[in-house]
């Protein structure tokens, strides 16, 4: 009877925790989708539109990156409408799943208020909120990395085959989103050698099952790489084609940014420590777990820097997005604040992260055009809408193919409202879904920024006497420093 009651209570706790987690995921997604819709520019970021353009084709690889992150965008828009808010919802749902994965992972080391506090503190960084709004190959790792590590820890500590299988599946998904995830898997391997269960683990089937699952899942992509001249590796090579000064500057920016991004977390935990009672409840952890926890928490950051130095690779700040998910936990363990005080401060900080941006969203929306730069300052959506309208004024055929200057063509594919593919860079190796026969049968809309002469030369090359070309000028968003944008359109009608 007592065992049955204990089991019933345990199931009730699990059910309540699961319900609260699901509600937290939905709340985070809803709040930040609303924020993105209220404050972001009229057009989604080109990187985000690229996820849609690639993902709708469902190939085993693309010219710059492996495919999983793009597939997820493609699957998402099989269900959701092709709108800005739906993309923000995908982005922040991914961030919410990341926080859920961190909560599960931190539970392998601490419990109660320390567990929840170490998760909520991640909201003191911009990675899970503001940065997450741009869905791309970096932000997808927000969710994939903590879930990968969670199943790694579960596999080595519990020995269940389902955890080993899931570890292999998440490891392959991370690699198939960005090869940079190899950094995390190296850290997992080193951590396994420091774990108290290492002998039992490597004498079991678990690690080998994980490897087999991972290799089986990435094998089609490896075949694709051989068939396509290892195109993504050429993008990686381009990251090394910079001067020593440029490499050093970006390395220092990455290293300093990693520290700067976590100052909020460290400051809040320090404040909780300062305000903690003398006899407060402090976190306790099995000392044997500390070595491999440190490897998982700090290893990806240090190893990224080392690889960049050895490989002469230009690091972007976006590389740091998935790295620091265990920093709140090791900060809590280092400073040992009282659990109730930590929970109070983490909850207040989490609430402020929601309330302040939402309250300031009208002001942020009005000021953004003055501070935006690069592609996001351009009238991307307005150009797309004008170009699509010109297509339909010229022909009754549906718009199936678009090409041109990268931001404009990519945005037009998303905002066309039709089943439109992008002919990326006028290069059929980058766009294997395009062929000369398809262009002849379906036509092609070419959108060229006036200063992009190479685009215009391609447009004239595809046009003939029966086709239409026109010049348009589109105003940038009000308050933007970009000014009016001159665009040349080439409309190659279907035969």
């Amino acid at each position: 009877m007592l065992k049955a009651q204990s089991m019933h209570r345990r199931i009730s706790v699990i059910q309540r925790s699961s319900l609260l987690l699901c509600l937290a995921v939905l709340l985070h997604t809803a709040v930040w989708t609303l924020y993105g819709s209220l404050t972001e520019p009229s057009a989604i970021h080109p990187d985000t539109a690229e996820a849609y353009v690639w993902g709708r084709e469902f190939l085993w690889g693309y010219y710059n990156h492996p495919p999983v992150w793009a597939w997820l965008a493609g699957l998402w828009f099989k269900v959701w409408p092709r709108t800005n808010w739906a993309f923000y919802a995908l982005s922040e749902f991914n961030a919410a799943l990341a926080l859920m994965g961190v909560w599960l992972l931190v539970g392998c080391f601490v419990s109660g208020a320390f567990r929840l506090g170490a998760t909520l503190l991640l909201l003191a960084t911009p990675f899970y909120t503001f940065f997450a709004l741009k869905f791309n190959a970096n932000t997808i790792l927000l969710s994939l990395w903590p879930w990968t590590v969670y199943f790694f820890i579960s596999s080595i500590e519990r020995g269940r085959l389902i955890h080993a299988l899931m570890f292999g599946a998440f490891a392959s998904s991370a690699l198939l989103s960005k090869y940079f995830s190899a950094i995390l898997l190296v850290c997992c391997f080193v951590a396994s050698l420091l774990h108290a269960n290492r002998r039992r683990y490597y004498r079991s089937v678990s690690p080998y099952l994980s490897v087999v699952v991972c290799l089986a899942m990435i094998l089609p992509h490896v075949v694709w790489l051989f068939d396509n001249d290892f195109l993504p590796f050429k993008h990686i090579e381009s990251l090394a084609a910079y001067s020593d000064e440029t490499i050093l500057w970006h390395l220092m920016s990455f290293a300093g940014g990693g520290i700067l991004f976590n100052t909020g977390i460290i400051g809040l935990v320090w404040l909780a420590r300062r305000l903690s009672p003398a006899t407060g409840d402090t976190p306790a952890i099995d000392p044997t777990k500390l070595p491999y926890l440190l490897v998982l928490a700090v290893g990806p950051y240090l190893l990224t820097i080392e690889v960049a130095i050895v490989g002469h690779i230009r690091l972007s700040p976006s590389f740091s997005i998935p790295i620091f998910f265990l920093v709140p936990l090791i900060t809590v363990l280092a400073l040992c604040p009282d659990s109730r005080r930590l929970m109070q401060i983490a909850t207040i900080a989490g609430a402020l992260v929601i309330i302040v941006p939402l309250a300031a969203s009208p002001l942020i929306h009005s000021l953004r055009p003055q501070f935006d730069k690069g592609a996001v300052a351009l009238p991307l959506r307005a150009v797309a809408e004008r170009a699509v309208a010109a297509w339909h004024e010229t022909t009754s055929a549906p718009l199936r193919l678009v090409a041109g200057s990268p931001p404009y063509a990519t945005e037009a594919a998303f905002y066309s409202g039709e089943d439109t593919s992008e002919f990326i860079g006028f290069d059929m190796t980058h766009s294997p879904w395009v062929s000369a026969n398809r262009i002849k049968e379906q036509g092609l809309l070419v959108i060229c920024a006036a200063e992009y002469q190479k685009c215009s030369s391609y447009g004239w090359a595809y046009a003939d006497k029966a086709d239409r070309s026109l010049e348009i000028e589109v105003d940038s968003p009000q308050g933007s420093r970009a000014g009016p944008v001159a665009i040349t359109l080439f409309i190659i009608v279907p035969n």
Side-chain angles (χ1 to χ4, degrees):
M1 177 65 74
L2 290 175
K3 285 185 178 180
Q5 290 177 344
S6 176
M7 180 64 71
H8 179 72
R9 283 196 298 271
R10 185 176 300 176
I11 292 173
S12 298
V13 169
I14 292 173
Q15 289 174 336
R16 286 198 299 273
S17 298
S18 300
L19 178 60
L20 288 173
L21 273 177
C22 291
L23 290 175
V25 166
L26 293 175
L27 176 63
H28 182 93
T29 304
V31 166
W32 287 96
T33 297
L34 177 61
Y35 172 83
S37 301
L38 292 174
T39 62
E40 291 293 296
S42 60
I44 57 175
H45 193 279
D47 284 0
T48 304
E50 186 177 64
Y52 166 79
V53 166
W54 294 5
R56 68 185 308 281
E57 308 299 340
F58 289 100
L59 302 181
W60 280 110
Y62 305 96
Y63 72 100
N64 264 9
H65 289 296
V68 162
W69 66 285
W71 287 352
L72 294 174
L75 290 171
W76 183 265
F77 286 104
K78 292 290 185 183
V79 178
W80 294 93
R82 208 184 314 162
T83 59
N84 290 11
W85 69 261
F87 234 137
Y88 298 142
L90 169 61
S91 302
E92 293 299 342
F93 182 62
N94 174 62
L97 290 179
L99 293 170
M100 179 188 285
V102 172
W103 185 83
L104 290 170
L105 174 59
V106 171
C108 297
F109 301 94
V110 294
S111 60
F114 293 116
R115 180 185 192 181
L116 187 55
T119 304
L120 287 176
L121 284 169
L122 287 170
L123 296 176
T125 73
F127 300 132
Y128 299 82
T129 52
F130 303 102
F131 289 4
L133 285 167
K134 185 171 72 173
F135 186 82
N136 58 25
N138 293 302
T139 55
I140 188 60
L141 302 182
L142 279 173
S143 59
L144 291 177
W145 277 29
W147 281 95
T148 299
V149 176
Y150 168 70
F151 283 114
F152 161 68
I153 295 295
S154 298
S155 175
I156 200 169
E157 291 189 349
R158 302 180 191 178
R160 296 179 61 186
L161 294 184
I162 184 62
H163 293 145
L165 188 151
M166 294 301 291
F167 173 43
F170 271 94
S172 64
S173 297
L175 284 172
L176 289 174
S177 287
K178 193 166 185 176
Y179 302 137
F180 174 56
S181 296
I183 293 280
L184 179 71
L185 300 186
V186 169
C187 292
C188 287
F189 173 70
V190 174
S192 72
L193 300 179
L194 298 174
H195 198 285
N197 293 347
R198 57 187 176 275
R199 286 190 176 86
R200 186 179 67 187
Y201 179 63
Y202 281 105
R203 288 172 180 169
S204 73
V205 72
S206 292
Y208 313 106
L209 176 61
S210 298
V211 170
V212 168
V213 169
C214 183
L215 292 177
M217 290 182 66
I218 67 173
L219 180 60
H221 177 66
V222 173
V223 173
W224 179 89
L225 286 172
F226 277 96
D227 290 341
N228 291 273
D229 197 25
F230 289 83
L231 282 174
F233 286 85
K234 295 180 180 179
H235 171 65
I236 296 173
E237 289 175 3
S238 71
L239 297 178
Y242 291 88
S243 66
D244 292 343
E245 292 78 10
T246 299
I247 296 293
L248 178 61
W249 169 252
H250 281 82
L251 180 64
M252 292 172 62
S253 299
F254 172 84
I259 297 171
L260 182 62
F261 285 134
N262 287 289
T263 53
I265 291 173
I266 297 169
L268 290 171
V269 178
W270 176 84
L271 180 60
R273 169 63 178 171
R274 290 277 296 178
L275 299 176
S276 295
T279 57
D281 175 30
T282 55
I285 184 174
D286 182 349
T288 63
K289 293 186 174 184
L290 283 175
Y292 74 84
L293 172 59
L294 286 173
V295 168
L296 294 171
V298 183
Y301 173 64
L302 298 178
L303 188 56
T304 299
I305 293 174
E306 183 178 351
V307 169
I309 293 172
V310 174
H312 197 261
I313 294 173
R314 179 180 65 86
L315 286 177
S316 165
S318 58
F319 276 70
S320 64
I321 286 175
I323 284 178
F324 301 109
F325 54 94
L326 282 172
V327 165
L329 176 59
I330 61 171
T331 306
V332 167
L333 293 174
L335 297 180
C336 295
D338 171 65
S339 62
R340 287 171 296 177
R341 193 70 70 193
L342 175 69
M343 195 63 225
Q344 289 171 357
I345 289 176
T347 302
I348 292 171
L352 288 175
V353 166
I354 292 174
I355 295 169
V356 172
L358 281 180
S361 58
L363 178 62
I364 295 171
H365 178 72
S366 65
L367 293 177
R368 272 201 73 133
Q370 301 177 31
F371 297 98
D372 280 338
K373 57 184 179 179
V376 294
L378 299 173
L380 300 177
R381 184 168 185 173
V383 168
E385 291 171 348
R386 290 278 297 275
V388 172
W391 171 270
H392 289 297
E393 290 168 3
T394 306
T395 176
S396 60
L399 178 58
R400 292 289 182 256
L401 285 174
V402 63
S405 303
Y408 298 110
T410 307
E411 299 285 334
F414 182 76
Y415 288 112
S416 71
E418 301 181 67
D419 185 21
T420 307
S421 298
E422 183 185 1
F423 183 14
I424 301 170
F426 300 93
D427 188 336
M428 292 180 189
T429 61
H430 292 179
S431 315
W433 49 86
V434 179
S435 65
N437 283 338
R438 184 177 178 186
I439 294 173
K440 185 181 297 185
E441 293 171 1
Q442 297 182 346
L444 177 67
L445 170 63
V446 180
I447 308 171
C448 295
E451 68 274 9
Y452 189 16
Q453 295 300 318
K454 188 176 181 180
C455 176
S456 296
S457 65
Y458 279 118
W460 287 116
Y462 279 99
D464 61 34
K465 294 179 181 179
D467 299 326
R468 178 187 180 195
S469 66
L470 67 155
E471 308 283 339
I472 63 173
E473 188 173 87
V474 182
D475 290 331
S476 293
Q478 187 175 4
S480 171
R481 293 174 291 178
V485 173
I487 298 292
T488 303
L489 301 178
F490 300 90
I491 300 174
I492 295 89
V493 299
N495 286 346

